[in-house]
């Protein structure tokens, strides 16, 4: 809103709010709030596209528009417009959603958000010592880089056999789309040998990120994947971040979700979810007493984490979206992906990335996104976020998961967008869930992928988003754990190539 309009509204509203020094007949001074009848003011009801003048005495009701302004009509002469779009609102509460232009990356958006916040509050956190922290904390594995032992506990039971998945696969995957505004924390200080060069050779207009191997607890501010108890300064309040990451927060944001149940026996089948689970852990479908006993055993083993019980939904479609929430409430949309059903009826863990479906998926999910964004903004939380929405056979949608962080498929969606601009690629398949392997060394993988990309340039491309060579008792096994995507113009061909490189451990 312009300063002129602000001044006019302030002048118009002041008679309703001012106090004055008066003489009450007895000569003594007292402070009294001045009062005015509604007839002294004109009410303007602001709708999505227009501003309507209301007569409160005739209608005998306060209008219920987006914003109600009670003002002296003369004070607003020359300031009224026929359309709300002509007002210069800076934060008008309108939900805005724009597509990614392919120019800014993770750290660039965080820097822009911090700079915006500093225009509102000069004492807001410094922006020259921010570190992007994409490694998630663990509450079950003590050998992880960040261990949330007593606060911000995340239910990642049972603990992983190795902390490399948390420390290498995830952080490197996100680092590929980090940009240069702030450095990425990597426990080794750099990606595995050859990975950075691979990104530069295959990702169009690749922007090389910066890296650090240490976070100064009393100096650095972290933009954290999830809140970390031993780090002092977070871009977002860690208590708020932890709250938003909980399954028990979903029902505070929206009614477009599965029904909460009082227990696991009232209605079966039902779904039980630990409130702060990670990596699809802590999710149980309770159909009978045997399922109940299995869940109770898990609670005992995991230290009795908190959980919610919700109604079971017969899933027809499983979709997800990934976006950036600017502190002013607007959205930069990164994209959507869907998990398709396999011939056996089970949902694939692969992310299907289809450019032709982006607008349709976006429209399907916007009603859910809007409610999440409004709740997050009310909590003063901003940054990256993702949601999962399940649709049943009737088309009804249910928001079942909120991830207030950069989400797993987001780098792949951004990569496909860049391939689309460079080569016209329309499809991609991204595989990261589970124990996905290339059966060979990382150097063999890099060489084989480079040969493929050279032979198929302009038609399809393989991107190794992250990798590390697995070890057993300190000895390399000859197997490379990977997060990998194949992008091109034919989905079937992409899937065939993906299957030739990325196999589950049981294929050994």
């Amino acid at each position: 809103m312009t300063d002129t309009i602000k001044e006019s509204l302030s002048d118009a509203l002041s008679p309703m709010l001012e106090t004055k020094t008066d003489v009450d007949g007895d000569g003594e001074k007292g402070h009294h709030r001045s009062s005015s009848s509604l007839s002294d003011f004109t009410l303007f009801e602001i709708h999505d596209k227009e501003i309507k003048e209301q007569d409160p005495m005739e209608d005998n009701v306060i209008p219920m528009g987006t914003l109600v302004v009670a003002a002296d009509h003369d004070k607003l002469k020359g300031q009224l417009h026929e359309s709300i779009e002509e007002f210069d609102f800076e934060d008008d509460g309108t939900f805005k959603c724009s597509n990614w232009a392919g120019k800014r990356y993770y750290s660039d958006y965080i820097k822009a958000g911090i700079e915006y916040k500093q225009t509102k509050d000069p004492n807001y956190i410094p922006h020259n010592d921010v570190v992007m922290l994409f490694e998630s904390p663990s509450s079950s594995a003590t050998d992880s880089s960040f261990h949330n032992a007593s606060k911000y506990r995340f239910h990642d039971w049972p603990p992983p056999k190795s902390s490399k998945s948390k420390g290498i696969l995830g952080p490197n995957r996100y680092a590929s789309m980090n940009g240069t505004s702030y450095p990425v924390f990597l426990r080794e200080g750099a990606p595995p040998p050859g990975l950075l060069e691979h990104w530069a050779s295959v990702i169009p207009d690749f922007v090389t990120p910066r890296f650090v191997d240490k976070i100064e607890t009393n100096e650095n501010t972290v933009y954290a994947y999830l809140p970390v108890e031993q780090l002092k300064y977070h871009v977002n309040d860690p208590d708020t971040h932890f709250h938003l990451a909980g399954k028990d927060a979903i029902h505070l944001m929206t009614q477009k979700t599965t029904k909460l149940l009082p227990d696991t026996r009232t209605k079966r089948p039902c779904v039980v979810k630990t409130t702060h689970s990670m990596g699809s852990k802590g999710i149980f479908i309770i159909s009978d007493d045997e399922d109940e006993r299995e869940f109770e055993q898990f609670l005992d083993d995991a230290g009795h984490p908190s959980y919610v019980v919700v109604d079971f939904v017969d899933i027809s479609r499983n979709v997800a979206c990934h976006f950036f929430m600017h502190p002013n409430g607007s959205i930069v949309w990164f994209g959507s992906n869907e998990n398709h059903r396999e011939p056996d009826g089970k949902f694939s863990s692969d992310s299907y990335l289809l450019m032709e479906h982006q607008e349709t998926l976006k429209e399907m999910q916007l009603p859910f996104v809007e409610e999440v964004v409004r709740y997050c903004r009310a909590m003063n939380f901003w940054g990256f976020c993702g949601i999962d929405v399940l649709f049943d056979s009737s088309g009804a949608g249910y928001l079942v998961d909120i991830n207030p962080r950069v989400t797993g498929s987001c780098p792949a969606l951004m990569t496909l967008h860049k391939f689309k601009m460079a080569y016209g690629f329309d499809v991609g398949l991204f595989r990261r869930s589970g124990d996905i392997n290339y059966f060979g060394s990382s150097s063999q993988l890099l060489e084989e992928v480079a040969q493929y990309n050279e032979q198929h340039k302009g038609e399809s491309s393989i991107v190794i988003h992250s990798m590390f060579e697995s070890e057993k008792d300190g000895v390399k096994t000859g197997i490379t754990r990977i997060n990998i995507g194949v992008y091109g113009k034919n989905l079937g061909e992409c899937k065939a190539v993906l299957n030739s490189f990325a196999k589950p451990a049981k294929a050994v």
Side-chain angles (χ1 to χ4, degrees):
M1 188 180 295
T2 64
D3 291 339
T4 303
I5 295 178
K6 288 179 181 177
E7 292 172 3
S8 298
L9 293 180
S10 177
D11 291 343
L13 290 168
S14 59
M16 298 180 69
L17 304 176
E18 68 180 1
T19 59
K20 62 182 181 180
T21 302
D22 195 8
V23 177
D24 294 335
D26 57 358
E28 292 187 10
K29 295 181 179 181
H31 291 282
H32 299 275
R33 184 175 299 280
S34 64
S35 61
S36 299
S37 166
L38 281 176
S39 61
D40 296 334
F41 297 91
T42 301
L43 296 183
F44 296 95
E45 186 175 10
I46 301 182
H47 297 266
D48 288 342
K49 296 294 184 182
E50 61 181 344
I51 301 174
K52 293 181 179 180
E53 182 176 328
Q54 302 285 353
D55 186 339
M57 303 305 294
E58 180 178 327
D59 299 335
N60 197 32
V61 65
I62 296 293
M64 298 298 292
T66 302
L67 175 66
V68 178
V69 179
D72 182 335
H73 188 278
D74 291 337
K75 295 288 187 180
L76 291 178
K77 283 182 178 179
Q79 299 296 336
L80 293 180
H81 299 261
E82 293 299 321
S83 169
I84 191 172
E85 292 178 345
E86 296 181 40
F87 273 103
D88 181 25
F89 285 115
E90 185 173 59
D91 291 300
D92 64 355
T94 302
F95 184 67
K96 300 181 180 70
C97 181
S98 59
N99 292 321
W100 185 51
K103 300 297 183 183
R104 284 185 174 181
Y105 301 89
Y106 298 142
S107 67
D108 306 326
Y109 280 112
I110 297 305
K111 182 178 181 181
I114 289 175
E115 290 176 343
Y116 172 86
K117 295 280 286 185
Q118 288 178 324
T119 65
K120 305 298 181 183
D121 178 8
N123 295 320
Y124 188 70
I125 61 171
H127 70 278
N128 60 349
D129 61 351
V130 174
V131 174
M132 304 294 288
L133 176 57
F134 296 125
E135 182 173 345
S136 62
S138 174
S139 293
S140 64
T142 57
D143 64 339
S144 61
S145 300
F146 305 97
H147 182 60
N148 286 4
S150 58
K151 195 174 185 181
Y152 313 131
R153 290 183 58 83
F154 290 96
H155 313 312
D156 55 348
W157 182 269
K161 296 178 181 178
S162 169
S163 64
K164 285 189 174 181
S165 182
K166 285 181 180 291
I168 299 179
L169 284 183
N172 279 281
R173 177 175 69 237
Y174 300 123
S176 66
M177 289 292 160
N178 183 70
T180 60
S181 292
Y182 298 131
V184 178
F185 169 82
L186 294 180
R187 60 168 67 176
E188 303 296 333
L195 187 58
L196 189 62
E197 293 78 8
H198 164 72
W199 293 338
S201 70
V202 65
I203 299 175
D205 301 319
F206 176 69
V207 177
T208 303
R210 298 181 288 129
F211 306 100
V212 295
D213 62 359
K214 187 177 182 181
I215 295 176
E216 298 291 346
T217 303
N218 294 318
E219 296 181 14
N220 293 132
T221 298
V222 295
Y223 179 77
Y225 183 84
L226 289 169
V228 178
E229 71 172 56
Q230 63 260 50
L231 296 181
K232 186 175 182 179
Y233 301 113
H234 291 67
V235 168
N236 281 299
D237 176 71
D239 293 315
T240 300
H241 196 175
F242 185 73
H243 162 69
L244 294 172
K247 303 294 189 296
D248 49 352
I250 296 175
H251 292 81
L252 301 176
M253 303 183 194
T254 181
Q255 294 183 349
K256 302 183 185 77
T257 185
T258 47
K259 182 181 178 181
L260 273 175
L261 300 176
D263 53 53
T264 57
R265 296 181 179 273
T266 299
K267 183 179 180 182
R268 289 178 173 175
C270 61
V271 181
V272 183
K273 303 177 181 180
T274 52
T275 58
H276 291 79
S277 55
M278 301 174 73
S280 298
K281 293 183 177 181
I283 301 176
F284 295 82
I285 297 176
I286 308 295
S287 299
D288 51 37
D289 289 347
E290 180 61 31
D291 293 335
E292 181 86 23
R293 285 189 289 271
E294 180 183 348
F295 172 62
E296 290 176 351
Q297 183 62 52
F298 165 81
L299 291 178
D300 289 339
D301 294 341
H304 294 277
S306 57
Y307 61 89
V308 294
V309 184
V310 297
D311 202 2
F312 177 83
V313 175
D314 189 11
I315 304 171
S316 177
R317 300 185 69 176
N318 182 359
V319 300
C321 62
H322 323 267
F323 49 90
F324 173 77
M325 301 180 288
H326 191 277
N328 68 9
S330 63
I331 291 296
V332 172
W333 195 277
F334 281 152
S336 301
N337 64 277
E338 185 166 3
N339 294 97
H340 290 188
R341 283 193 186 274
E342 298 287 13
D344 62 3
K346 296 180 179 179
F347 277 96
S348 169
S349 59
D350 293 341
S351 295
Y352 283 71
L353 317 172
L354 307 175
M355 293 300 290
E356 66 175 341
H357 292 172
Q358 288 301 301
E359 284 303 314
T360 300
L361 292 174
K362 175 180 175 180
E363 292 302 319
M364 289 171 61
Q365 295 172 96
L366 271 178
F368 304 92
V369 171
E370 181 171 1
E371 292 187 334
V372 169
V373 170
R374 291 192 184 281
Y375 186 86
C376 288
R377 195 179 182 209
M379 300 289 289
N380 200 29
F381 180 90
W382 61 278
F384 296 96
C385 189
I387 65 171
D388 296 335
V389 182
L390 303 180
F391 291 88
D392 64 20
S393 57
S394 70
Y398 304 87
L399 177 62
V400 295
D401 204 5
I402 297 169
N403 299 300
R405 53 178 173 78
V406 178
T407 48
S409 297
C410 192
L413 282 159
M414 297 170 75
T415 300
L416 177 57
H417 184 95
K418 295 178 78 65
F419 278 127
K420 174 71 173 177
M421 293 188 290
Y423 304 117
F425 291 180
D426 296 308
V427 299
L429 272 173
F430 177 56
R431 185 169 294 174
R432 66 178 178 88
S433 298
D435 190 6
I436 304 302
N437 303 274
Y438 168 82
F439 295 102
S441 67
S442 59
S443 60
Q444 289 174 317
L445 171 64
L446 289 166
E447 182 179 353
E448 192 173 346
V449 167
Q451 290 175 354
Y452 177 92
N453 287 340
E454 180 63 29
Q455 294 170 3
H456 297 83
K457 188 172 184 179
E459 296 298 324
S460 65
S461 295
I462 301 171
V463 177
I464 307 166
H465 290 275
S466 190
M467 67 178 189
F468 69 84
E469 290 192 40
S470 61
E471 298 180 352
K472 185 176 182 179
D473 299 325
V475 179
K476 292 183 178 180
T477 62
I479 298 175
T480 303
R481 289 284 306 278
I482 54 175
N483 287 179
I484 190 169
V486 183
Y487 308 87
K489 301 177 181 179
N490 183 286
L491 188 61
E493 291 179 4
C494 288
K495 188 164 188 176
V497 174
L498 183 64
N499 286 338
S500 70
F501 279 88
K503 302 178 186 296
K506 63 183 179 181
V508 177

